[in-house]
Amino acid sequence: MHILLVSSSSGSRGGGELFLLTLGQTLQSAGHDVTLWASAHPRMDELTQKFAGFGQVHRDAYKNTYDRRLRSFSDACDILSARRVAASWAGLQADVIHLNKQNLEDGLDLVLATCFAGRPSVCTIHVTQTARYLRARFGSTRDAVARLVLRQYPGRLIAIGASRFVDLQRFLGLQANIGLIENGVRIPSRAELLVLRRTTRARLGLNDGQLLGLGVGRMVDQKRPLLFLEQAALVRARCPEAAFCWVGDGPLRVEWDRTAGRLAIASALITPGWTDDVLPYYAAADFFLHTAAYEGLPLAVLEALAAGLPCVVTPNLYEDLKFLQIARVLQTDPPGWENVLADPRQRAEIGERGRELATGQYSLERMAQEYVKAYASALTEAMERP
């Protein structure tokens, strides 16, 4: 099968875009042909260069929603862009088009393009919280525009988590064609994790018994890296030898450094910036601290579970992630969860439960297989239409 993976082109390092990279690579390994369609904007260079290592890449002079002055309002009305993009897709002669949207309102012209393309398609939406919920300007109006366009989508809309599935049903109505395919991640072997733990902790200068908390993500408001620092300071007050690592970078880096100085924890921090291979840091860590304000189904949390790490999440995320079986005690502020994680036996027990869950339900192979089934269904439905 030849699958065209379409990026709404908001960037190369977000979880929603990295999803395309891992999905494409897994599909290619399973014997499918994959092509990535993305904007020619320089911010997509990193993603497209990586994708070119195993699949075809087609760049287009496409303007992402958030590069438009009127955002989704102009996006949803740009019929000329939608028709031009549809013609571009037709020339690539894929069997199925897979549109990847970061949220409800981005890429609405791409949704319209699927209507004009006349080819079977599916559409994944990662963040399904509404603009009104996120307190965006003109949120209710932006939601109304997104709802109007999404209801015209001719294929199946895919949510990436159970809570996100419910969100889509509420947003579009129960009659909408909505499916659920939960995200997946690579499951590293125990032997690989053990070797990486030893070598990485040695490289970072950590002793065997030193507690290491890890965060992964862009340094942006959504991920709340400054809250990560505040939690680190609380733990350090009870466990002075504890260290904390944040893998990622972004516009809040200056404020990160300023806050670390104010909290007097700069000496306890490890900040390697952005890296293509985060697994060594998962292996080296003792627990994962995820402070994001909202998410779809966070790949970083799934990766942490796959590495056998207990996961600490904020109360609002806990409500969405209960199905991941994160220990209830871990949602509370220190000293509650810190006392649990300071005990190596309890850490190991919680981490093992998470790893078993990730292995059984959140592997890349399982995710790719479910998407292949969705593609096949889209092809069948297209052939059965008069």
Side-chain angles (χ1 to χ4, degrees):
M1 191 183 304
H2 181 196
I3 303 136
L4 177 62
L5 299 173
V6 174
S7 167
S8 61
S9 299
S10 61
S12 291
R13 294 180 174 178
E17 298 296 346
L18 293 177
F19 156 85
L20 279 182
L21 188 66
T22 54
L23 175 61
Q25 196 161 22
T26 308
L27 290 170
Q28 190 273 337
S29 297
H32 300 283
D33 293 325
V34 290
T35 298
L36 174 66
W37 184 97
S39 169
H41 194 286
R43 67 165 166 262
M44 301 307 298
D45 290 350
E46 184 175 336
L47 182 72
T48 54
Q49 288 167 7
K50 292 176 181 176
F51 198 98
F54 58 85
Q56 302 176 61
V57 173
H58 183 84
R59 307 289 294 272
D60 186 275
Y62 172 71
K63 182 178 287 189
N64 173 266
T65 301
Y66 299 104
D67 291 329
R68 294 172 178 262
R69 189 169 64 87
L70 297 180
R71 304 290 179 88
S72 58
F73 296 116
S74 59
D75 203 26
C77 299
D78 198 343
I79 302 301
L80 288 178
S81 172
R83 289 193 179 278
R84 183 188 61 76
V85 168
S88 170
W89 293 346
L92 297 174
Q93 299 183 329
D95 297 310
V96 177
I97 298 170
H98 182 167
L99 172 58
N100 189 56
K101 279 168 49 63
Q102 301 300 312
N103 54 54
L104 294 169
E105 72 170 356
D106 76 322
L108 295 179
D109 56 339
L110 299 179
V111 174
L112 295 175
T114 61
C115 300
F116 299 134
R119 290 182 179 271
S121 70
V122 301
C123 173
T124 298
I125 304 178
H126 291 267
V127 175
T128 53
Q129 290 91 336
T130 65
R132 182 179 181 183
Y133 172 85
L134 297 175
R135 298 181 180 180
R137 293 183 63 193
F138 311 111
S140 295
T141 306
R142 290 162 70 170
D143 288 337
V145 171
R147 184 181 295 109
L148 177 65
V149 175
L150 288 173
R151 282 178 173 170
Q152 299 177 52
Y153 178 65
R156 175 164 294 186
L157 297 166
I158 305 293
I160 50 84
S163 297
R164 307 287 74 86
F165 176 76
V166 172
D167 287 345
L168 270 183
Q169 286 185 318
R170 289 173 177 166
F171 186 70
L172 296 175
L174 295 176
Q175 76 282 0
N177 189 5
I178 301 170
L180 170 63
I181 299 178
E182 293 178 306
N183 278 345
V185 294
R186 183 170 84 85
I187 311 296
S189 70
R190 297 180 192 279
E192 181 181 12
L193 289 169
L194 182 60
V195 171
L196 285 173
R197 180 173 178 83
R198 290 172 179 166
T199 57
T200 306
R201 287 180 73 92
R203 175 169 58 84
L204 297 177
L206 301 170
N207 62 51
D208 290 342
Q210 193 169 358
L211 197 67
L212 177 63
L214 177 67
V216 175
R218 292 166 294 153
M219 288 187 177
V220 295
D221 288 335
Q222 177 203 342
K223 303 297 183 181
R224 297 198 290 193
L226 305 185
L227 177 59
F228 178 93
L229 291 177
E230 292 170 4
Q231 294 294 302
L234 289 173
V235 174
R236 285 275 296 181
R238 295 179 55 83
C239 187
E241 290 191 358
F244 287 81
C245 176
W246 183 284
V247 179
D249 213 333
L252 289 180
R253 180 57 191 264
V254 173
E255 186 61 28
W256 165 281
D257 292 336
R258 185 181 298 119
T259 303
R262 175 175 59 81
L263 295 173
I265 58 170
S267 62
L269 298 176
I270 301 168
T271 50
W274 183 260
T275 176
D276 289 338
D277 186 10
V278 186
L279 182 58
Y281 295 95
Y282 287 117
D286 296 298
F287 66 92
F288 189 72
L289 176 56
H290 196 65
T291 52
Y294 61 91
E295 291 279 13
L297 175 55
L299 291 176
V301 170
L302 296 183
E303 289 171 340
L305 292 174
L309 290 182
C311 293
V312 183
V313 297
T314 48
N316 58 311
L317 277 184
Y318 182 78
E319 290 303 311
D320 280 345
L321 302 178
K322 282 181 180 178
F323 65 95
L324 292 180
Q325 300 177 7
I326 299 170
R328 185 174 296 273
V329 68
L330 299 184
Q331 73 164 325
T332 62
D333 289 335
W337 60 262
E338 185 271 332
N339 285 340
V340 172
L341 296 182
D343 182 345
R345 182 184 58 81
Q346 292 192 68
R347 283 204 313 269
E349 290 176 355
I350 296 168
E352 183 58 28
R353 291 202 304 269
R355 181 173 164 82
E356 290 175 356
L357 179 67
T359 302
Q361 298 184 34
Y362 297 102
S363 71
L364 270 177
E365 292 74 19
R366 184 273 316 160
M367 180 184 75
Q369 289 169 5
E370 292 190 27
Y371 271 108
V372 169
K373 291 178 183 178
Y375 302 150
S377 294
L379 282 166
T380 299
E381 291 170 5
M383 290 188 292
E384 290 176 350
R385 294 192 192 106

